Amino acid sequence: MQSKKDLPALWAAEIELQVPFHDVDMMEVAWHGHYAKYFEIARCALLDQLDYNYPQMRDSGYAWPVIDLRIRYAKPLRFQQWVVVRAEVAEYENRFKINYQVRDRATGTRLTRGHTIQVAVEIHSEEMLFASPPVLLQKLGVE
């Protein structure tokens, strides 16, 4: 696997979002469950760059369910705060791991980090693969 500094730019995406009112509690802090949504938005931006978002995954014959989600909350996200959510491919050979960082847009302060792990499941047989299928390697440009 390549070192982090050598990862292709295509393997990372950033989105900006402003924490909306409907995502916060009465203390104007984003509810912890919404962080998964913010990760998903960034993950879809990354998958769009790879031309392998969920419709393309389905069309290639594979579903890619998330089997693990980890979130480390360092500082709260607050109502109307602008943040940058970065999604970056971390592993791809046997599973598809994406790392995330949420930073304050103005200061660059890291607020949250986490990762998701997805595995390939052949749609017709519903069998999980123990190695990523060639289509993902092609989309990443490593095959």
Side-chain angles (χ1 to χ4, degrees), residues 46-106:
L46 171 62
L47 295 174
D48 280 341
Q49 281 183 192
L50 297 172
D51 191 34
Y52 198 52
N53 211 328
Y54 295 107
Q56 291 87 6
M57 289 176 176
R58 179 198 59 232
D59 294 346
S60 73
Y62 300 99
W64 288 83
V66 172
I67 62 165
D68 191 10
L69 165 65
R70 307 277 172 104
I71 303 174
R72 176 75 174 169
Y73 305 95
K75 296 186 180 195
L77 305 185
R78 299 195 178 276
F79 175 52
Q80 292 188 319
Q81 180 178 22
W82 279 98
V83 296
V84 176
V85 184
R86 178 179 178 85
E88 183 176 276
V89 174
E91 296 177 29
Y92 61 84
E93 292 160 328
N94 299 312
R95 60 190 190 168
F96 196 34
K97 181 179 180 184
I98 300 174
N99 289 334
Y100 305 90
Q101 279 197 8
V102 181
R103 295 188 175 276
D104 180 82
R105 186 176 77 174

Side-chain angles (χ1 to χ4, degrees), residues 11-141:
W11 289 13
E14 291 184 347
I15 57 112
E16 293 183 358
L17 63 87
Q18 187 178 35
V19 178
F21 178 74
H22 57 81
D23 282 2
V24 300
D25 60 21
M26 63 188 242
M27 300 293 293
E28 296 189 357
V29 172
W31 176 64
H32 70 277
H34 289 299
Y35 289 65
K37 173 177 58 179
Y38 304 151
F39 286 6
E40 179 71 28
I41 294 167
R43 180 170 57 244
C44 283
L46 171 62
L47 295 174
D48 280 341
Q49 281 183 192
L50 297 172
D51 191 34
Y52 198 52
N53 211 328
Y54 295 107
Q56 291 87 6
M57 289 176 176
R58 179 198 59 232
D59 294 346
S60 73
Y62 300 99
W64 288 83
V66 172
I67 62 165
D68 191 10
L69 165 65
R70 307 277 172 104
I71 303 174
R72 176 75 174 169
Y73 305 95
K75 296 186 180 195
L77 305 185
R78 299 195 178 276
F79 175 52
Q80 292 188 319
Q81 180 178 22
W82 279 98
V83 296
V84 176
V85 184
R86 178 179 178 85
E88 183 176 276
V89 174
E91 296 177 29
Y92 61 84
E93 292 160 328
N94 299 312
R95 60 190 190 168
F96 196 34
K97 181 179 180 184
I98 300 174
N99 289 334
Y100 305 90
Q101 279 197 8
V102 181
R103 295 188 175 276
D104 180 82
R105 186 176 77 174
T107 67
T109 302
R110 187 179 74 202
L111 306 169
T112 306
R113 66 181 175 173
H115 72 259
T116 54
I117 295 174
Q118 295 171 259
V119 294
V121 173
E122 205 278 326
I123 290 173
H124 295 295
S125 68
E126 297 183 352
E127 290 188 31
M128 184 178 78
L129 280 67
F130 293 102
S132 294
V135 64
L136 176 63
L137 305 180
Q138 291 165 358
K139 296 294 185 176
L140 292 170

